[in-house]
Amino acid sequence: KPYFHYRFTNEQQREEHINKFFDGMKSHQEFKQSLKAAKSGAHNLKVGDIIYASWGYDQTNINFFQVVAVTKGTVTFGEIAQNVVDGSHGFMSESVTAKKDCFLNDKRYTRRADGQNRVTFAEYKGDYKLRLSLYDGRPLYQSHYA
């Protein structure tokens, strides 16, 4: 069964169209594979990695977590402290970084991770459904009321 019914003025034009068609099919298959990998939970998180959530309505809250165990599809993590970056204070705001290995309590959470190294964490802060992402080390903006 043909995929298209076109007429071409010369053979070169036909070959270019066919090559473009197969390149498009190949990129579509790669895209489908990447979506499948993301859904399968094949993450790249390692023990010691830091993940974070930025959340809030009238203010921006930052929470850091450190990965303490991993399986193929899940990660176990605990909340860690944050450092305020010197000189970053503004009006009820500042920049913060993660304080590695400084756990706030003994509570640990185990959740599924997706292929983009993100973790959905719904039970932490009331009605908020947090999306934890891999932390890259840069200072993050945080604001508050008091």
Side-chain angles (χ1 to χ4, degrees):
K1 181 177 179 182
Y3 280 99
F4 45 85
H5 298 278
Y6 296 129
R7 291 179 188 238
F8 302 98
T9 55
N10 58 41
E11 197 171 311
Q12 179 185 358
Q13 192 180 37
R14 184 191 72 205
E15 290 299 317
E16 287 174 4
H17 184 79
I18 290 171
N19 290 337
K20 188 187 279 188
F21 174 78
F22 282 115
D23 288 343
M25 286 185 69
K26 181 179 177 185
S27 65
H28 180 69
Q29 289 294 347
E30 290 170 356
F31 175 72
K32 283 175 37 177
Q33 291 289 4
S34 69
L35 287 179
K36 188 175 182 180
K39 288 180 182 178
S40 72
H43 62 83
N44 296 325
L45 294 170
K46 307 177 294 304
V47 171
D49 281 348
I50 296 174
I51 50 181
Y52 77 99
S54 175
W55 61 280
Y57 180 70
D58 286 341
Q59 63 190 34
T60 304
N61 302 293
I62 302 292
N63 293 94
F64 293 104
F65 302 88
Q66 187 170 335
V67 177
V68 295
V70 295
T71 65
K72 181 181 175 186
T74 65
V75 294
T76 301
F77 51 90
E79 188 171 14
I80 58 174
Q82 55 183 232
N83 294 313
V84 176
V85 176
D86 290 334
S88 69
H89 287 80
F91 178 69
M92 292 192 294
S93 66
E94 65 270 342
S95 293
V96 294
T97 58
K99 196 170 187 179
K100 191 168 184 167
D101 298 325
C102 186
F103 289 92
L104 296 180
N105 53 44
D106 292 334
K107 189 161 177 115
R108 300 296 181 258
Y109 309 93
T110 301
R111 298 292 180 273
R112 288 199 160 288
D114 67 17
Q116 296 171 340
N117 298 327
R118 293 184 309 217
V119 179
T120 301
F121 188 30
E123 299 83 17
Y124 182 66
K125 293 288 183 183
D127 294 335
Y128 287 97
K129 185 174 186 178
L130 302 182
R131 175 59 66 110
L132 306 179
S133 302
L134 186 61
Y135 178 60
D136 61 5
R138 64 185 161 81
L140 300 173
Y141 173 80
Q142 176 173 271
S143 63
H144 44 84
Y145 287 119

